[in-house]
């Protein structure tokens, strides 16, 4: 039974099962038929999934589409544990051996985990009792992961996923599968303290709603009903806290095979199915609808919502584009937050300075204030010198990196790396824009200062002390302006360094890819060499077999030739017998003692015998080339007398001469015929026949009976 046949049979069985279910209410007979069909389907499903598990690697590579279709129809309960492990490649993870050691350690998240254990599946038999085995193994797995990934630690939604895994498999295997899900299925980014991935999912999902359900999106905006208010738990728990467990488990089957795509599809399908009702509700009503009405709609099973989910338009390329847009938006927001924080800090310092000046009242330029200004001037000059040194170091580093980049090979395939550079180039453009704005601000500030200096130039002529103070302030202001310019140049230099480092990373990636391609080609050459050796061995084996076949053929040809030689020898013996019969014929003609009637009869008999012998020779010549034709071993001719007497002779092995009953052995090479009856012929003829040893004798019965001759 082939696997492809099983896959086709499974799909046909599912269709027949659906037809049986539709007609199951018509009669008792149709109900029993549906039950038998269902049991037959379950048996076929067990056989099918057993073959899939045993031949997993071939199925995953060659029949991926059929495998996805089967997973969408549901994995049998008894196969879920092994199939989930195979789908995420968690069946042989080294971290499984560390599990027992992790349980002996202490986690900083233990109190949080203990607090939330009772809230995880509170109505399920495996977890509802306090300090039960289910709660204990759930605590163990969550504690072990919090020790493995200290950045994530523990997040409440993750306990529902671990709980579902523990319903299907032992805790060690559940721990390995959960680690794989966190690493390869984007869950780790969802559960990080910043939850940046969750924000991305909400942005992508909201864009899908705006595109495919514009009226519902407008209603959500009007009611200030944000996507995170109802959809965040969908992504964090894969619908485990929102849908009935049976429905969520079926969706989780597909999630293990296809990833977070199914969450987007099912979420949008749910909104499509409830769009008319949601548009009529306010914010509170929509929350109640999501919490109570939608789960009740799915009590009949997940088939309807899964079928609707795969009618939803989902474009992976567009999702990637939305991810880049979200990253750009978040980068701008972060920069704005940093700038706002810096401006707030400066504003707070300026307010403190103003408060200090207001408390002092009118400005009094004493010697202490002059010394303070001089100290600030010295510090400002020191900072300027440090900035100049840092700027020079950055410029030297830039020159060094440029020289190193010139020694690297040219990147002739930049098109493949453009996507990697989009984010960096956006940050570069924004940084350059910020630098230009800052420089413009510095120039505007300098112009304002120059105009201020021009207006207040004549005010300090009569007050030398005040003029000194003003000069110090002017010089301090100039130093601060130069410091701002130096900082701007420093930022620009850092931006240039970032750009060069990015180019260096690009070249390094290109070199690494070239090395990987070279290694793969070498491995391919080695594989082909091994295959060539195997083919050479097979060729030698084929040649050896061909030589054996040729030897057997030659032996058969020799056997055929030997049989032909035997047939030729038998034919020569028959020809010799024919010649002897012809001699007897001639002798019979010479015998004048015989009467005309008997002599003619005898001659006719001999002619008949000769013709029969010639016919046999002709037949033998026609069949001498056949390998399975029996060899010619003699001639047998019989004519009977009246009564029960019969005479018979045979030629044994083609060598012995024929014999006659009541006759003596033949001398020489002729045949002697002795008469057995008395005739009216003269006694002289009989005596002459007896005297001649080579004579031919004929016997004629007195009553006109038949004559018998045996050769």
């Amino acid at each position: 039974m082939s696997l492809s046949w099983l896959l086709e049979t499974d799909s046909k069985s599912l269709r027949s099962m659906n037809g049986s279910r539709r007609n199951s209410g018509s009669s008792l007979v149709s109900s029993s038929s549906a039950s038998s069909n269902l049991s037959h389907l379950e048996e076929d499903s067990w056989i099918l999934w057993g073959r899939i598990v045993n031949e997993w690697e071939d199925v995953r590579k060659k029949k991926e589409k059929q495998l996805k279709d089967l997973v969408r129809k549901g994995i049998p309960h008894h196969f879920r544990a092994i199939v989930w492990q195979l789908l995420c490649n968690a069946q042989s993870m080294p971290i499984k051996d560390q599990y027992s050691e992790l349980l002996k350690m202490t986690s900083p998240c233990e109190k949080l985990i203990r607090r939330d254990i009772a809230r995880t599946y509170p109505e399920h038999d495996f977890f509802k009792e306090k300090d039960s085995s289910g709660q204990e193994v759930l605590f163990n797995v969550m504690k072990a992961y919090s020790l493995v990934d200290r950045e994530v630690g523990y997040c409440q939604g993750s306990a529902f996923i671990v709980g579902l895994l523990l319903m299907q498999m032992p805790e060690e295997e559940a721990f390995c599968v959960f680690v794989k899900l966190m690493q390869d299925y984007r869950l780790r980014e969802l559960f990080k303290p910043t939850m940046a991935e969750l924000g991305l999912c909400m942005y992508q999902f909201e864009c899908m709603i705006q595109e495919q359900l514009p009226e519902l999106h407008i209603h959500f905006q009007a009611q200030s009903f944000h996507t995170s208010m109802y959809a965040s738990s969908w992504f964090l728990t894969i619908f485990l806290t929102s849908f009935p467990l049976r429905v969520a488990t079926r969706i989780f089957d597909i999630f293990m095979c296809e990833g977070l795509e199914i969450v987007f599809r099912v979420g949008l399908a749910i909104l499509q199915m409830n769009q008319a009702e949601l548009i009529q509700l306010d914010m509170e009503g929509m929350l109640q609808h999501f919490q109570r009405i939608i789960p009740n709609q799915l009590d009949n099973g997940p088939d309807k919502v899964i079928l609707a989910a795969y009618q939803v338009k989902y474009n992976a390329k567009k999702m990637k584009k939305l991810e880049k847009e979200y990253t750009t938006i978040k980068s701008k927001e972060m920069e704005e937050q940093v700038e706002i924080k810096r401006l707030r800090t400066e504003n707070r310092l300026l307010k403190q300075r103003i408060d200090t000046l207001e408390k002092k009242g009118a400005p009094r330029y004493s010697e202490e204030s002059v010394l303070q200004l001089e100290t600030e001037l010295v510090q400002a000059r020191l900072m300027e010198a440090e900035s100049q040194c840092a700027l020079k170091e950055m410029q030297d580093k830039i020159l060094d990196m440029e020289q190193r980049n010139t020694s690297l090979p040219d990147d002739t395939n930049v098109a493949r790396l453009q996507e990697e550079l989009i984010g960096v180039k956006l940050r570069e453009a924004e940084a350059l824009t910020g630098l230009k704005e800052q420089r413009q601000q510095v120039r505007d500030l300098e112009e304002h200062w120059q105009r201020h200096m021009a207006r207040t130039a004549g005010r300090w002529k009569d007050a030398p002390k005040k003029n000194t103070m003003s000069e110090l302030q002017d010089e301090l202001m100039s130093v601060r302006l130069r410091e701002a310019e130096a900082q701007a140049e420093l930022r620009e230099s850092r931006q240039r360094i970032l750009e060069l480092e990015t180019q260096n990373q690009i070249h390094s990636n290109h070199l690494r890819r070239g090395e990987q391609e070279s290694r793969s080609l070498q491995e391919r050459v080695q594989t082909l060499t091994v295959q060539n050796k195997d083919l050479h061995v097979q060729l030698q084996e084929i040649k050896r077999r061909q030589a054996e076949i040729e030897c057997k053929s030659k032996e058969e040809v020799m056997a055929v030739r030997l049989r032909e030689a035997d047939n030729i020898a038998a034919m020569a013996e028959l020809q010799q017998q024919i010649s002897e019969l012809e001699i007897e014929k001639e002798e019979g003609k010479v015998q004048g003692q015989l009467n005309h009637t008997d002599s003619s009869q005898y001659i006719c008999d001999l002619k008949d015998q000769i013709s029969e012998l010639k016919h046999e020779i002709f037949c033998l010549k026609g069949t001498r080339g056949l390998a399975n034709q029996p060899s010619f071993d003699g001639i047998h001719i019989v004519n009977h007398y009246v009564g029960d007497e019969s005479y018979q002779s045979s030629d044994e092995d083609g060598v012995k001469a024929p014999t006659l009953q009541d006759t003596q052995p033949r001398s020489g090479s002729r045949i002697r015929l002795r008469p057995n009856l008395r005739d009216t012929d003269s006694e002289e003829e009989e005596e002459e026949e007896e005297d001649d040893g080579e004579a031919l004798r004929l016997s004629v019965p007195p009553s006109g009976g038949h004559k018998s001759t045996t050769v």
Side-chain angles (χ1 to χ4, degrees), residues 139-398:
F139 172 78
N140 290 341
V141 175
M142 298 308 303
K143 171 187 171 182
Y145 185 80
S146 67
L147 291 169
V148 170
D149 190 354
R150 294 184 180 271
E151 181 182 1
V152 174
Y154 167 74
C155 187
Q156 184 179 4
S158 60
F160 288 92
I161 297 175
V162 175
L164 179 63
L165 297 176
L166 289 171
M167 296 177 196
Q168 312 295 331
M169 63 191 73
E171 57 180 303
E172 294 87 352
E173 297 174 359
F175 171 68
C176 294
V177 173
F178 183 63
V179 171
K180 268 291 183 180
L181 292 178
M182 295 292 283
Q183 292 176 352
D184 300 341
Y185 287 73
R186 297 171 61 183
L187 293 186
R188 184 176 185 274
E189 302 300 322
L190 284 173
F191 289 122
K192 277 186 176 181
T194 58
M195 289 189 172
E197 192 73 12
L198 181 61
L200 171 61
C201 292
M202 295 296 101
Y203 178 76
Q204 292 173 328
F205 191 64
E206 186 174 355
C207 291
M208 290 179 68
I209 298 172
Q210 184 178 4
E211 179 183 358
Q212 301 186 34
L213 302 173
E215 295 180 1
L216 186 61
H217 180 262
I218 293 173
H219 180 67
F220 283 169
Q221 294 290 327
Q223 295 292 329
S224 299
F225 193 60
H226 302 293
T227 310
S228 59
M229 297 174 68
Y230 62 91
S232 58
S233 62
W234 293 354
F235 288 89
L236 288 173
T237 64
I238 319 298
F239 299 105
L240 291 171
T241 58
S242 304
F243 292 174
L245 186 59
R246 183 166 63 95
V247 178
T249 305
R250 279 284 303 279
I251 296 173
F252 202 83
D253 287 341
I254 305 173
F255 169 73
M256 295 292 293
C257 184
E258 303 180 24
L260 279 177
E261 176 183 340
I262 187 61
V263 182
F264 288 98
R265 287 182 175 275
V266 172
L268 204 63
I270 291 294
L271 294 179
Q272 287 177 346
M273 295 165 61
N274 294 270
Q275 180 177 3
E277 293 83 357
L278 291 172
I279 290 178
Q280 305 297 326
L281 301 173
D282 57 4
M283 178 189 293
E284 186 177 353
M286 287 188 288
L287 284 174
Q288 294 293 329
H289 190 83
F290 277 105
Q291 292 174 0
R292 298 179 181 179
I293 305 301
I294 291 178
N296 294 330
Q297 293 176 353
L298 303 174
D299 286 339
N300 294 329
D303 293 333
K304 182 179 178 181
V305 69
I306 291 176
L307 183 63
Y310 283 97
Q311 304 298 323
V312 171
K313 295 179 181 180
Y314 181 88
N315 191 333
K317 292 183 178 180
K318 190 165 186 179
M319 299 298 279
K320 287 285 186 183
K321 183 179 179 181
L322 292 174
E323 182 178 355
K324 294 174 184 176
E325 291 179 1
Y326 180 78
T327 304
T328 303
I329 292 171
K330 282 298 175 182
S331 299
K332 290 182 178 179
E333 289 180 357
M334 289 294 294
E335 292 176 359
E336 290 176 357
Q337 289 177 1
V338 171
E339 184 67 19
I340 290 172
K341 187 176 181 180
R342 186 185 65 80
L343 292 174
R344 286 177 178 174
T345 303
E346 292 182 357
N347 190 20
R348 187 177 67 254
L349 294 174
L350 289 173
K351 284 183 178 180
Q352 292 177 357
R353 186 70 177 271
I354 292 171
D355 292 339
T356 303
L357 292 174
E358 287 178 351
K359 288 179 181 179
K360 291 181 179 181
R364 297 177 181 178
Y365 302 104
S366 61
E367 294 182 358
E368 294 179 358
S369 60
V370 172
L371 291 175
Q372 183 178 0
L373 289 174
E374 288 177 351
T375 304
E376 291 180 0
L377 179 60
V378 171
Q379 292 177 353
R381 288 179 176 176
L382 288 174
M383 291 177 64
E384 181 181 3
E386 291 175 358
S387 300
Q388 292 291 337
C389 292
L391 180 62
K392 187 175 181 181
E393 289 177 0
M394 292 296 179
Q395 290 175 349
D396 294 337
K397 190 174 181 180
I398 289 171

Side-chain angles (χ1 to χ4, degrees), residues 77 85 91 168 227 234 272 284 344 360-361 367 461 475 486 525 568 570 582 600 633 640 692:
H77 173 71
Q85 294 179 61
Q91 65 272 24
Q168 312 295 331
T227 310
W234 293 354
Q272 287 177 346
E284 186 177 353
R344 286 177 178 174
K360 291 181 179 181
E367 294 182 358
K461 293 181 180 179
E475 190 172 358
V525 169
I568 292 171
E582 289 179 350
S600 299
D633 60 348
H640 296 279
D692 189 1

Side-chain angles (χ1 to χ4, degrees), residues 8-20 41 69-70 73-74:
E8 294 174 1
T9 304
D10 182 75
S11 60
K12 293 178 182 177
S13 301
L14 283 171
R15 288 196 294 271
S16 66
M17 183 196 71
N18 292 334
S20 298
L41 174 63
D69 292 339
L70 284 175
K73 295 169 186 174

Side-chain angles (χ1 to χ4, degrees), residues 602-669:
Y602 177 71
I603 290 170
C604 289
D605 292 338
L606 290 176
K607 286 182 178 180
D608 291 338
Q609 294 177 11
I610 290 169
S611 63
E612 290 176 0
L613 291 171
K614 286 183 177 180
H615 178 69
E616 298 246 359
I617 291 171
F618 178 76
C619 293
L620 183 62
K621 285 182 178 180
T623 60
R624 62 185 291 184
L626 299 175
N628 57 353
Q629 181 72 18
S631 61
F632 186 80
D633 60 348
I635 302 173
H636 186 201
I637 303 172
V638 178
N639 289 326
H640 296 279
Y641 287 104
V642 291
D644 296 334
E645 297 179 356
S646 64
Y647 301 89
Q648 178 177 346
S649 67
S650 63
D651 186 4
E652 295 178 2
D653 299 328
V655 177
K656 294 182 180 181
T659 61
L660 292 173
Q661 187 177 354
D662 298 331
T663 60
Q664 296 177 354
R666 182 182 64 186
S667 63
S669 62

Side-chain angles (χ1 to χ4, degrees), residues 32-171:
S32 61
S33 175
S35 301
S36 62
N37 288 338
L38 184 59
S39 61
H40 179 68
L41 174 63
E42 291 177 353
E43 182 179 355
D44 290 344
S45 178
W46 272 69
I47 296 173
L48 175 62
W49 280 101
R51 289 290 299 275
I52 289 174
V53 170
N54 292 332
E55 303 173 8
W56 179 257
E57 295 298 331
D58 293 338
V59 174
R60 192 71 182 267
K61 293 178 183 177
K62 299 179 182 178
K63 297 191 179 295
E64 185 177 1
K65 186 177 183 300
Q66 292 90 332
L67 179 62
K68 283 185 177 181
D69 292 339
L70 284 175
V71 172
R72 291 172 186 176
K73 295 169 186 174
I75 303 172
H77 173 71
H78 295 285
F79 283 96
R80 273 204 174 98
I82 182 63
V83 173
W84 283 1
Q85 294 179 61
L86 291 171
L87 284 171
C88 65
N89 296 322
Q91 65 272 24
S92 58
M93 291 182 64
I95 199 171
K96 186 176 182 180
D97 299 331
Q98 304 175 13
Y99 182 73
S100 58
E101 297 297 328
L102 291 171
L103 296 182
K104 299 176 184 178
M105 301 169 65
T106 302
S107 172
C109 304
E110 290 186 8
K111 291 184 179 180
L112 293 175
I113 298 172
R114 287 289 185 191
R115 182 193 65 188
D116 292 336
I117 286 294
R119 305 176 187 175
T120 305
Y121 298 113
E123 298 179 358
H124 196 278
D125 294 338
F126 190 54
F127 300 103
K128 67 181 181 179
E129 294 184 5
K130 187 177 181 182
D131 298 330
S132 62
S133 60
Q135 291 190 1
E136 189 62 27
V137 294
L138 178 59
F139 172 78
N140 290 341
V141 175
M142 298 308 303
K143 171 187 171 182
Y145 185 80
S146 67
L147 291 169
V148 170
D149 190 354
R150 294 184 180 271
E151 181 182 1
V152 174
Y154 167 74
C155 187
Q156 184 179 4
S158 60
F160 288 92
I161 297 175
V162 175
L164 179 63
L165 297 176
L166 289 171
M167 296 177 196
Q168 312 295 331
M169 63 191 73
E171 57 180 303

